[in-house]
Amino acid sequence: MIRAGLFALLLASPAGAESFCATAWEKVAAGLTALGTVSGSVAQDGDWCVVQGAVLDLDGPYLPDWHVDRLRFRGAALGWLVDGTGAPDGLEIGVEGLRLVVQTGDAQMDWLLAAQARPNAIRAEASLAWDAAARELRLEGLSIDFPGENLVELSTVVAGVDLSSTGAMQMSATSFAVTEADLAVTTHGLFEWYLLMAVGPSVLPTEGDMEAAAEGLRAAMRAAVADLPGISFSDASKAALGALIGELPNPSGDLVVSLRSEAGFGPSRLMPWAMTGVPKTLAEAAGVLNGVTVEIGWTHADAP
């Protein structure tokens, strides 16, 4: 493609490439200023822009700062990001050594927490491609490799996406629709480390028999699964969800989810709720899933 060729030509000049990469990183940092301060050392490695020692220092105490040993990015979309030329039709990102480090304000504790986080680094890769003619955005491969035997992989196809101008992107925010999505999760502690403490305090009582309360939650979830519309969720998918729920709060195994919808699933399906209010039961909400099929599989596997 012409835009990709221009990007490659630009990177053929080391000085021009490093300046281009630095400007791209400045744009990213500017977009994150509402969250905190961004730092890192920018360089070029072939056709990749590389940031060493990237840090997103979140504002406020006890919030986890994001540390990345090495962040790589490339693609024709960078030209659009830097100076508005071309279109955001391709972007690849690689993350090595991602760590979430909490700062308490106590120098000793902060040093210890940073050291503790280092062996628990996360590695991630993602590739995005936009087809202007089809108005289709594809997440062709998101892979997040967590410490231990824990992995998340996702690919999606999103229709009704126009990134040709600011106005078109604003319109796409309400017109997009997911037509395909495939998720695969391997968890051997992933749920406990990254979700349990975030969800648990909001759904469990503060005192009493915690195991009985947890079983009550599992029973409620099983009932909700039973009420899922059969036209969208097969009996096998409901059984898989039930098996997964039965293992909470310590699920161990492989989860796969596949969504397909010719018309797509997006904000337009939820707009009627703005007038009528959010349905109180799954049966009342079933219509929003018309034309959507979701296949789910769960395979238990003991932690290696």
Side-chain angles (χ1 to χ4, degrees):
M1 297 177 65
I2 294 177
R3 284 186 291 271
L6 290 174
F7 178 70
L9 182 62
L10 173 63
L11 291 188
S13 165
E18 290 191 11
S19 174
F20 182 87
C21 292
T23 303
W25 181 237
E26 288 173 2
K27 293 279 188 177
V28 172
L32 295 173
T33 53
L35 299 176
T37 304
V38 177
S39 59
S41 176
V42 186
Q44 177 204 357
D45 183 5
D47 60 349
W48 289 93
C49 294
V50 179
V51 183
Q52 301 281 1
V55 178
L56 171 58
D57 189 347
L58 297 180
D59 294 332
Y62 302 105
L63 294 177
D65 297 332
W66 293 53
H67 292 248
V68 178
D69 289 340
R70 192 167 187 258
L71 170 65
R72 300 175 293 116
F73 51 91
R74 67 179 177 182
L78 293 179
W80 170 81
L81 174 67
V82 170
D83 56 20
T85 60
D89 55 3
L91 180 65
E92 294 176 74
I93 301 172
V95 176
E96 300 169 23
L98 168 62
R99 307 179 305 283
L100 305 182
V101 182
V102 175
Q103 287 193 328
T104 65
D106 181 288
Q108 180 195 72
M109 186 58 64
D110 289 349
W111 187 88
L112 291 171
L113 289 173
Q116 186 182 56
R118 181 161 289 281
N120 295 314
I122 300 166
R123 182 184 181 93
E125 294 181 347
S127 176
L128 283 165
W130 178 56
D131 186 329
R135 297 178 63 218
E136 190 174 82
L137 181 67
R138 289 178 174 268
L139 176 60
E140 297 180 331
L142 169 64
S143 176
I144 309 175
D145 189 356
F146 293 89
E149 296 296 323
N150 294 286
L151 178 68
V152 175
E153 295 178 309
L154 174 67
S155 63
T156 62
V157 178
V158 187
V161 178
D162 189 347
L163 305 179
S164 60
S165 68
T166 301
M169 285 189 284
Q170 291 173 342
M171 292 292 291
S172 297
T174 57
S175 66
F176 78 87
V178 178
T179 58
E180 298 179 21
D182 291 287
L183 172 69
V185 178
T186 296
T187 175
H188 299 293
L190 183 64
F191 176 82
E192 295 92 319
W193 276 107
Y194 296 96
L195 290 177
L196 181 60
M197 295 305 293
V199 175
S202 64
V203 296
L204 287 170
T206 56
E207 58 185 17
D209 188 336
M210 291 300 121
E211 185 51 46
E215 181 53 37
L217 288 170
R218 288 190 287 265
M221 286 188 283
R222 292 189 191 98
V225 168
D227 287 340
L228 290 171
I231 194 170
S232 296
F233 295 84
S234 66
D235 290 342
S237 292
K238 292 184 180 183
L241 280 174
L244 172 59
I245 290 168
E247 294 197 28
L248 294 175
N250 301 108
S252 181
D254 298 292
L255 171 70
V256 292
V257 181
S258 177
L259 180 149
R260 294 292 183 272
S261 174
E262 186 173 340
F265 186 90
S268 62
R269 287 180 178 260
L270 307 179
M271 286 181 181
W273 293 359
M275 300 293 294
T276 63
V278 178
K280 294 182 175 59
T281 66
L282 282 174
E284 294 176 0
V288 79
L289 292 172
N290 286 341
V292 178
T293 59
V294 182
E295 294 296 331
I296 301 171
W298 169 254
T299 304
H300 173 81
D302 293 331

